[in-house]
Amino acid sequence: MSDSREHIMVTGGAGFIGVNFVRRVLATRPTVSVVVLDALTYAGNGTSLEQLPADRLHFVHGDIRDQRLVDRLLREHEIRTLVHFAAESHVDRSIDGPDAFVATNIDGTHSLLKAAREYWLSGSGTPHRFHHVSTDEVYGSLGSEDPPFTERNQYQPNSPYSASKAGSDHLVRAYHHTFGLEVTTTNCSNNYGPYQFPEKLIPLMIVNILEGKPLPIYGDGMQVRDWLHVEDHCRAIEACLDRGVAGELYNIGGANERPNLEIVGKLCEMIDERVGASSDLASRFPDCPASKGSSSQSLVTYVTDRPGHDRRYAIDFSKAAADLEYQPQETFDSGFSGTVDWYLENEPWWRGVMDGSYRQWLDSNYASR
Ligand code: NAD
Ligand code: DAU
């Protein structure tokens, strides 16, 4: 395929952050076409990519571990930039079954690196960029008084998920150091926003409030995360593609550290306000406490803590601020309110991704904690 367009490959482009990234790139960069490679696991959803310009989006249903497929796609589409989101991403699932995490996050990343090396570095070499999307969880857990994570913190992953991400980060680093592959890595904090599968804290709490289901709080609910709006994260990745230096890591945060209980309280308050003021919402969500004149806080249910639960993550993103000109634009209020509105307006999306067996699994999982 040879035309004047720049072709970017996005792995995991049907998942939460990948979808937001693809939408953003297609909207803001008219000369770019995107090839999405996604295995469509439970977390991937083709409908999230609907209504995007078909002439600039090529979707391939496939596995990043299929090195021959990746090799063919890189050549066929003359890819110079690969943004790697595909992963198993949920900590709870990594505790229930770590194997898939090692397979996708470590073997899968390695398969991409091998294909990229073969295509980009053989012969006289081609200008290229391999951008790896990683997590702050690789740095381990902070105490309440510890300074936020910088890029110089030691890796101390605590869950099978974060250990598998740390493994992939090391492979990416090694392919730069040993073979000269032009890589960048971003380690970001907890994302939230549109198209997030309702297993992560924020979308799970939103749909459970609307359906009048228990809101499971692990342990004492005082674990702290730094909440990053997905649009801010995608903007940071673009800035890293434009200005990042090969071989470097950049921490990306939202400047929005909050304990889980505060997050859940805020979501209850925002949904109660909206449902209380709208007879349409009250009739669409009859089981929501606010539809019956009570508070959604009544749904809060303390459950057994997650094994090995990290207490606090916090991000120092001063390197990204200085080198990439990155600053988050969403605040706690703007980001959360837009996200709640998105879930209220996109009920068919979340009902579609939460099929009956997932709802059943959720209910029995929390019942047994
Ligand atoms: P997600 O679980 O929503 O989506 C993952 C996507 O990868 C899905 O579309 C899935 O189908 C695809 N996928 C899984 N295995 C695959 C395979 N073997 N081959 C091809 N595709 C495969 O994840 P997300 O929340 O969008 O996270 C994206 C990336 O960002 C991940 O690497 C994750 O570790 C990282 N990250 C996420 C967060 C967060 O808060 N969500 C924070 C920090 C870092
Ligand atoms: O920090 C970045 C990481 O953030 C990403 O790398 C991961 O892919 C992403 O899943 C996320 O990990 P967390 O474990 O922090 O996110 P999760 O949404 O699962 O949980 C957020 C916090 O809320 C955590 O302290 C556990 C707690 N929690 C979560 C769920 C799903 C609850 O108390 N109850 C719940 O039902």
Side-chain angles (χ1 to χ4, degrees):
M1 179 183 296
S2 202
D3 57 35
S4 56
R5 286 200 187 128
E6 182 193 350
H7 302 271
I8 295 184
M9 181 185 281
V10 176
T11 72
F16 163 48
I17 308 174
V19 161
N20 281 281
F21 182 78
V22 170
R23 290 182 161 270
R24 181 177 171 80
V25 164
L26 290 176
T28 58
R29 303 197 175 208
T31 59
V32 167
S33 291
V34 176
V35 177
V36 167
L37 173 61
D38 198 296
L40 295 181
T41 68
Y42 78 94
N45 191 328
T47 62
S48 311
L49 294 169
E50 276 170 4
Q51 289 157 356
L52 290 172
D55 59 327
R56 293 170 57 216
L57 175 63
H58 183 70
F59 180 81
V60 180
H61 183 193
D63 197 307
I64 54 169
R65 288 171 295 168
D66 185 344
Q67 194 187 328
R68 284 179 57 186
L69 169 66
V70 175
D71 187 68
R72 178 169 66 73
L73 293 173
L74 291 175
R75 285 171 203 279
E76 246 175 46
H77 297 273
E78 295 177 5
I79 302 290
R80 300 280 177 268
T81 304
L82 189 157
V83 185
H84 175 34
F85 293 98
E88 289 293 336
S89 69
H90 192 37
V91 174
D92 290 333
R93 289 182 190 251
S94 83
I95 296 166
D96 293 342
D99 289 9
F101 287 72
V102 173
T104 289
N105 300 357
I106 300 182
D107 291 342
T109 302
H110 192 217
S111 147
L112 289 177
L113 288 166
K114 285 190 286 182
R117 177 187 171 207
E118 175 70 26
Y119 174 51
W120 285 331
L121 297 181
S122 54
S124 56
T126 309
H128 63 271
R129 172 67 64 85
F130 186 111
H131 182 77
H132 177 55
V133 180
S134 191
T135 170
D136 59 359
E137 298 200 13
V138 295
Y139 299 122
S141 181
L142 294 169
S144 57
E145 302 303 318
D146 290 335
F149 300 127
T150 74
E151 293 80 359
R152 291 177 302 284
N153 273 63
Q154 199 185 330
Y155 271 37
Q156 293 186 318
N158 290 320
S159 70
Y161 163 70
S162 53
S164 67
K165 291 298 289 186
S168 66
D169 292 12
H170 291 321
L171 283 167
V172 169
R173 177 190 152 88
Y175 267 65
H176 172 72
H177 190 79
T178 304
F179 303 119
L181 201 70
E182 304 259 314
V183 306
T184 41
T185 298
T186 41
N187 294 75
C188 72
S189 56
N190 289 60
N191 284 222
Y192 71 97
Y195 298 105
Q196 187 168 29
F197 188 80
E199 64 181 352
K200 309 282 166 58
L201 182 73
I202 288 179
L204 177 68
M205 294 296 155
I206 294 174
V207 307
N208 279 8
I209 294 170
L210 293 173
E211 297 196 305
K213 303 264 184 190
L215 308 179
I217 306 290
Y218 298 170
D220 64 1
M222 292 309 288
Q223 301 84 5
V224 172
R225 299 291 184 266
D226 171 14
W227 294 96
L228 168 65
H229 194 276
V230 66
E231 274 294 315
D232 281 327
H233 181 200
C234 291
R235 215 169 312 104
I237 294 172
E238 276 191 292
C240 190
L241 293 176
D242 291 341
R243 293 187 273 279
V245 173
E248 294 291 324
L249 295 187
Y250 299 91
N251 283 354
I252 310 297
N256 193 15
E257 262 192 74
R258 314 268 165 177
N260 296 338
L261 271 181
E262 184 182 339
I263 298 296
V264 174
K266 182 81 183 171
L267 295 173
C268 289
E269 190 187 299
M270 285 191 303
I271 293 176
D272 286 356
E273 251 172 48
R274 285 160 171 74
V275 173
S278 157
S279 53
D280 172 48
L281 287 177
S283 71
R284 273 172 56 203
F285 302 107
D287 296 322
C288 177
S291 305
K292 298 176 259 184
S294 51
S295 159
S296 299
Q297 285 280 357
S298 60
L299 300 173
V300 165
T301 307
Y302 288 89
V303 299
T304 309
D305 208 352
R306 173 188 278 176
H309 199 169
D310 285 339
R311 192 70 182 166
R312 173 176 167 241
Y313 307 136
I315 284 267
D316 175 343
F317 58 85
S318 49
K319 178 177 174 185
D323 296 359
L324 309 180
E325 296 165 31
Y326 165 73
Q327 280 298 332
Q329 292 180 8
E330 295 283 355
T331 63
F332 185 52
D333 285 332
S334 67
F336 277 65
S337 137
T339 302
V340 166
D341 289 339
W342 190 88
Y343 279 87
L344 288 173
E345 283 156 21
N346 291 275
E347 184 185 352
W349 181 88
W350 55 263
R351 288 214 187 275
V353 298
M354 291 178 79
D355 61 12
S357 59
Y358 173 62
R359 182 78 255 180
Q360 243 172 25
W361 174 85
L362 255 184
D363 291 346
S364 65
N365 193 36
Y366 293 120
S368 67
R369 272 173 185 272

